[in-house]
Amino acid sequence: MLKSILNIVISLLFPWSTLTLNAQSDLPRFEAAGQFALMTTGYRNAGVGGRFGVNASEMLAFEAEVDHFPQDKYAEGKKTLSLFGVKIGTRTDSAGLFARIRPGFIKFGNELVGGTNCDPLNPTSTCYAAQNHFALDIGGGFEFFPTHKTVVRFDIGNLLIRYSGQSSNNLIMNVGFGFRF
C-alpha cells in the first residue's frame, strides 16, 4: 500500500518520469539539428541555427531552438531568436506532419530607441541600442526521415514579435538536417 502511494506521489511530482515511449514504435527519444533560417522583420534576414527536441510520444515533442541572423540590417542590427515549446503531429516511419507553438525572445542588436541627441541617419549615435522582445512562433511543417537516425525538416510559421505597445507578424521559414538518437 505504501509503495503504491509513493509511486503515485512520485508520478505527480515528477511527471517527466512517466514520459515513456512505446517500446513497439522504436521512436528515437532525442533529436538535434542544424538549420538554415529565413525571417522577415521589415527586411529579409537569412541566418543559421540549431534545434534540440525530446520526443515525449509519437505525437508530442518538446523543442528548443536558437537562430542567429548576422546581417547588420539598417535599424535592427544583428538578431538572435530563441524559442521553446511544443510540436504536435503525426508521423510514419518515413515522414511526419506537425504543428508547433513556441514562445521565446528575439534580440535586435542595434534597434532605434530614440533619445534627446539622436540622429537616426547616424548609426553611431546614442539613439541605437540592443533590445529584447517577446516572440511567439505559431506554425507547422513537414519532416522526412531518410534513415531511422536522420531527419530533414521544413518549417514555416508566423513569428509574432511584441514591441512596447504594438506587435508585428513576421514570416519565418527553416530547413534543416538532424540526427535522432
Side-chain angles (χ1 to χ4, degrees), residues 14-158:
F14 302 102
W16 61 85
S17 67
T18 63
L19 294 177
T20 57
L21 295 174
N22 186 347
Q24 296 171 344
S25 72
D26 197 26
L27 176 67
R29 181 74 176 222
F30 303 102
E31 188 175 303
Q35 61 194 22
F36 176 73
L38 293 172
M39 176 176 61
T40 61
T41 57
Y43 310 101
R44 275 180 240 137
N45 300 277
V48 294
R51 177 176 39 82
F52 182 78
V54 178
N55 291 315
S57 71
E58 288 281 337
M59 296 179 64
L60 177 68
F62 299 98
E63 295 187 329
E65 176 180 315
V66 176
D67 296 315
H68 180 68
F69 301 89
Q71 303 94 344
D72 197 357
K73 294 269 190 164
Y74 311 103
E76 293 180 346
K78 299 174 183 178
K79 289 165 272 321
T80 303
L81 176 63
S82 303
L83 301 166
F84 315 90
V86 297
K87 175 180 83 168
I88 300 170
T90 184
R91 71 179 86 202
T92 66
D93 288 338
S94 60
L97 187 64
F98 61 89
R100 67 183 196 285
I101 183 165
R102 304 179 300 181
F105 298 93
I106 187 166
K107 178 180 181 179
F108 292 97
N110 195 31
E111 187 176 345
L112 180 64
V113 293
T116 56
N117 295 326
C118 181
D119 179 6
L121 300 176
N122 179 5
T124 60
S125 70
T126 59
C127 58
Y128 292 88
Q131 296 286 310
N132 291 309
H133 299 284
F134 174 77
L136 178 65
D137 173 38
I138 301 171
F142 173 78
E143 50 194 4
F144 170 67
F145 311 117
T147 68
H148 181 67
K149 298 289 185 183
T150 59
V151 59
V152 176
R153 180 166 148 172
F154 304 92
D155 298 34
I156 188 166
N158 179 37

